[in-house]
C-alpha cells in the first residue's frame, strides 16, 4: 500500500454544497413518514424499513465518499450534484415504490450507488481507498439483481426481494465490505473524522427538524382546543428532550472518543450504523405524534403505543449500544430508560394519547437530565484516559 499523504489529514469544514445535498433527504424522511402513516400495518412497517435502508444508504455512501475524496475537488463536487439530482427523483418515488413506481425508485438508487462508488474507486488518492471502493462495488453488484428483480415482479413478492437486497447492502455497510482474504483496517485510510462527525451531527438535526415539520402539519389540520394544544406541546417537549440526549454533552463524548482512538474510521462507521436505527426511531415517533395530535382524547391502541414509545426506545437502544462500544460509558442510563419506555408503552395501550405523551415527556425529561451529567463526566474521563 502506498503511504498516506499528511495533507489528507487536514481538517475541512462542511461545505455549503454538502448542506444543500442534505436538503434532498429532508424530503426523503417526510416521504418515509408519510408511507408509514398511510400503511399502519406490519407489512407497511417492513416496507418503510426497506426503503429507509436504501435511502439512508445513499446518504451514507455519498457522505463518506465526499469526505474521503475531499469536497473541495471538482470531481467530488460534480459527484454530489449528480447524486443530489438522482436522489430527488428516487425520493419522489418513495410513496408509490411498492405500487406503480418501483422502477422510478430502483433506477436512481442503483445509478447513485454505482456512479458514486465508481468515481471513488477511480479517483481516490490512495491505493487503499481505491481498493476499498472496488470491493464496495462488488457488494453493490451482489445486491443489484435483487433490487432489479423486485422492481420487475408484482407488489406482493416485491417486499421479499427488496428486503434481501437491503439486507445485503446493510451487511456490507456494517462489516465495511470485506472480501475473502482482505479486510481493510481503518488505520490504512487518511480520514477527516471531524468532518464526518459534523455531517452526522447536521443530519441528526435534519431528522429532528423533519419531525418538527410533521408536528406542525398535524397542528395545522387539527382543531385549536385545549387537548390538541397540550398534546402538541408535549410532542414538542419530547423532541427537545431527544435533542438534549445528544447535544447535552453527547456530541462532546462522541468527538472526544473519536479523537482519542487509533481507529477513527471504525468509530465513525459505528456511528453511521447506529444512525439507521435512529432514523427509523424518529420516523416512528413522527407518525405517532401526528396520530396523537389528531386524536388526543381517543382510546389508546397498540399501534399508537408502539409508535410513541417504540420510537424513543429504539433511539435509546441504538445510541446506548453506540456509546457503549465507542466511549464505554453513558450506555447504562440509556438502556435503563429504554426498558422504562417499553413498560410505559405497555401501559399506554390503555391510556388516551394525551396521557401517553405526558408519560413519555416525564421519562425523557429525567433521562435527558441524567445523561447531561453523565456526558460531562464521561467526556472528562476520555480526555484523561484516551482509549485504544
Amino acid at each position: 500500500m502506498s503511504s498516506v499523504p499528511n495533507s489528507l489529514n487536514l481538517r475541512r469544514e462542511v461545505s455549503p454544497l454538502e448542506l444543500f445535498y442534505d436538503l434532498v433527504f429532508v424530503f426523503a424522511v417526510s416521504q418515509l413518514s408519510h408511507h408509514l402513516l398511510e400503511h399502519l400495518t406490519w407489512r407497511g412497517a417492513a416496507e418503510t424499513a426497506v426503503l429507509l435502508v436504501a435511502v439512508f444508504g445513499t446518504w451514507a455512501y455519498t457522505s463518506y465518499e465526499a469526505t474521503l475524496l475531499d469536497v473541495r475537488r471538482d470531481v467530488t463536487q460534480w459527484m454530489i450534484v449528480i447524486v443530489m439530482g438522482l436522489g430527488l427523483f428516487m425520493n419522489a418515488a418513495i410513496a408509490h415504490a411498492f405500487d406503480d413506481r418501483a422502477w422510478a425508485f430502483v433506477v436512481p438508487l442503483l445509478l447513485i450507488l454505482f456512479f458514486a462508488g465508481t468515481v471513488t474507486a477511480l479517483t481516490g488518492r490512495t491505493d487503499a481507498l481505491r481498493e476499498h471502493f472496488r470491493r464496495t462495488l462488488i457488494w453493490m453488484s451482489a445486491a443489484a439483481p435483487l433490487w432489479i428483480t423486485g422492481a420487475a415482479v408484482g407488489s406482493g413478492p416485491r417486499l421479499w426481494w427488496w428486503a434481501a437486497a437491503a439486507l445485503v447492502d446493510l451487511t456490507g455497510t456494517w462489516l465495511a465490505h470485506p472480501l475473502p482474504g482482505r479486510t481493510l483496517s481503518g488505520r490504512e485510510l487518511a480520514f477527516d473524522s471531524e468532518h464526518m462527525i459534523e455531517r452526522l451531527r447536521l443530519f441528526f438535526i435534519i431528522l429532528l427538524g423533519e419531525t418538527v415539520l410533521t408536528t406542525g402539519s398535524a397542528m395545522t389540520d387539527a382543531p385549536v382546543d385545549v387537548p390538541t394544544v397540550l398534546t402538541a406541546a408535549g410532542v414538542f417537549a419530547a423532541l427537545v428532550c431527544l435533542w438534549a440526549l445528544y447535544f447535552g454533552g453527547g456530541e462532546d463524548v462522541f468527538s472526544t472518543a473519536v479523537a482519542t482512538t487509533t481507529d477513527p474510521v471504525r468509530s465513525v462507521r459505528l456511528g453511521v450504523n447506529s444512525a439507521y436505527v435512529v432514523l427509523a426511531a424518529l420516523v416512528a415517533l413522527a407518525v405517532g405524534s401526528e396520530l396523537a395530535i389528531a386524536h388526543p382524547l381517543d382510546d389508546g391502541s397498540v399501534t399508537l403505543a408502539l409508535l410513541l414509545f417504540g420510537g424513543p426506545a429504539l433511539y435509546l437502544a441504538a445510541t446506548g449500544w453506540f456509546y457503549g462500544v465507542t466511549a464505554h460509558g453513558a450506555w447504562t442510563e440509556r438502556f435503563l430508560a429504554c426498558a422504562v419506555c417499553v413498560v410505559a408503552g405497555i401501559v399506554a395501550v390503555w391510556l388516551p394519547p394525551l396521557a401517553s405523551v405526558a408519560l413519555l415527556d416525564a421519562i425523557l425529561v429525567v433521562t435527558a437530565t441524567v445523561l447531561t451529567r453523565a456526558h460531562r463526566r464521561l467526556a472528562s474521563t476520555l480526555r484523561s484516559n484516551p482509549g485504544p
Side-chain angles (χ1 to χ4, degrees), residues 2 8 12 227:
S2 63
L8 291 182
R12 293 182 286 271

Side-chain angles (χ1 to χ4, degrees), residues 7 10-12 66 69-74 76-77 125:
S7 61
L10 294 176
R11 172 74 172 94
R12 293 182 286 271
L69 289 179
D70 184 353
V71 73
R72 295 171 299 186
R73 297 174 65 188
D74 289 343
T76 310
Q77 293 177 2
R125 289 180 167 177

